[in-house]
Amino acid sequence: MLHTRINSKDQLLIHLFFHRITFLKFQEKNILAKKIQNIEELKILSMLKMQEFLKRDIKSKDSWNPAENFRMAERALNYCQKLNIQLLLNEDLEYPELLRQIADPPYLLFCRGDINILADKSVSVVGTRRITPQGKIAAKEFAYNAVLDSCNVISGLANGADGFAHQGAIDAYFDYCEKGLDTMKLGKTIAVMPTSIDQITPSSHKKMASQIIQSGGLLISEYEPGLPMATWHFVGRNRIIAGLSPATLVVEAPAGSGALITADFALENGRDVFFHQVSFNESAQKIDEISKNTLDKAFEQKKVSKFKKENTIEKYIEAGAPVIKDYKDYCQVLKEMPGKRALEMKQGELFKLD
């Protein structure tokens, strides 16, 4: 049952306690949080007791220390209160419904900025860090025009396509401010971070993160303040980016890139995936070929999976993913019959639209 946001310290500690347990599934955390409402019970919660509640054997590589987990939850809550970080539980009314529907939604979200924008129209924009000059322009212009259409732009605050998408959205806001125009109807930009909510990576994007909040946007992480970043956090971040929107646009993505992992998450959760036409420019194609050759060699040496090797733009295009030229074209495809754009591309008509 959905409810308004929880503010009592004890309830927040309970949820932080279970959020921190990595060997529990999303629904299991919800079950335990409902069964255990006493703070003192948390401090002595054994693995055996959790197994009894959940009716399954729990296997974890990590040692379980409930008292230490509670101490860390308390530490995280103190940080959140000190830094004015908002906690959004998966059952809160403000928690985005689209994200709640994915296979593995975050139990808690840590937020800085305006959480109310999570209910607004949105599109996720992702792409390579090795973005071409044409790709930079495409990402910025798409985001700029999306924001003018009251559409939020969601990305991952990384170098490359992510950063230029955020910047396009920010530029729209400051352009309106400079002209004395009303910014209330503009879309905003939302950055989903692979780091803890109190850290910004890359550090060169600290100013951008500040501007995102200043322009009415939002920073999101599922990782508590002070938590060290792990490499798998990037993949976790990607599933949230895909989960927050009904559609994901890929702006240049070499074979095996993180942007294509995001696209895969989007498809797995029944969302639309689009590719920007700039993905097929000459420079982007050269980067893609280098990436494919590198992956082929790594696969032969058993250093990468078959999925990573075969995760290419071509795979999505062949499956019917539309290719768009700009935000206006993106909106047009949303109105078209599914598969129409893919058919045009196969017939060689797509790029005759210029």
Side-chain angles (χ1 to χ4, degrees), residues 95-226:
Y95 191 96
E97 182 58 34
L98 281 174
L99 187 61
R100 190 185 285 116
Q101 293 171 4
I102 71 172
D104 181 27
Y107 181 75
L108 274 178
L109 290 173
F110 299 88
C111 307
R112 298 174 68 184
D114 185 3
I115 62 170
N116 294 309
I117 66 173
L118 288 167
D120 298 337
K121 178 174 71 171
S122 66
V123 59
S124 296
V125 180
V126 296
T128 180
R129 289 173 172 80
R130 295 178 288 173
I131 194 165
T132 68
Q134 301 97 309
K136 293 175 183 179
I137 295 170
K140 282 185 71 173
E141 288 186 347
F142 182 91
Y144 190 103
N145 289 311
V147 165
L148 295 187
D149 190 40
S150 303
C151 182
N152 291 338
V153 173
I154 299 169
S155 199
L157 202 63
N159 283 322
D162 290 21
F164 285 100
H166 290 306
Q167 194 60 59
I170 292 167
D171 286 350
Y173 172 82
F174 284 111
D175 283 353
Y176 259 50
C177 288
E178 189 175 318
K179 295 173 183 176
L181 300 173
D182 183 10
T183 61
M184 292 299 293
K185 292 184 180 180
L186 292 178
K188 314 299 179 186
T189 189
I190 299 171
V192 185
M193 300 155 52
T195 58
S196 62
I197 188 63
D198 59 324
Q199 301 174 34
I200 302 297
T201 296
S203 59
S204 59
H205 280 179
K206 286 183 179 179
K207 180 180 178 182
M208 180 179 290
S210 178
Q211 289 178 328
I212 287 172
I213 296 175
Q214 185 182 350
S215 60
L218 183 65
L219 305 180
I220 290 177
S221 173
E222 64 176 323
Y223 307 113
E224 68 194 60

Side-chain angles (χ1 to χ4, degrees), residues 290-308:
I290 292 170
S291 181
K292 286 176 180 175
N293 291 335
T294 301
L295 285 171
D296 285 342
K297 292 175 183 176
F299 180 71
E300 290 174 5
Q301 297 169 0
K302 299 183 179 180
K303 292 181 179 179
V304 299
S305 66
K306 184 178 181 182
F307 169 79
K308 187 176 181 71

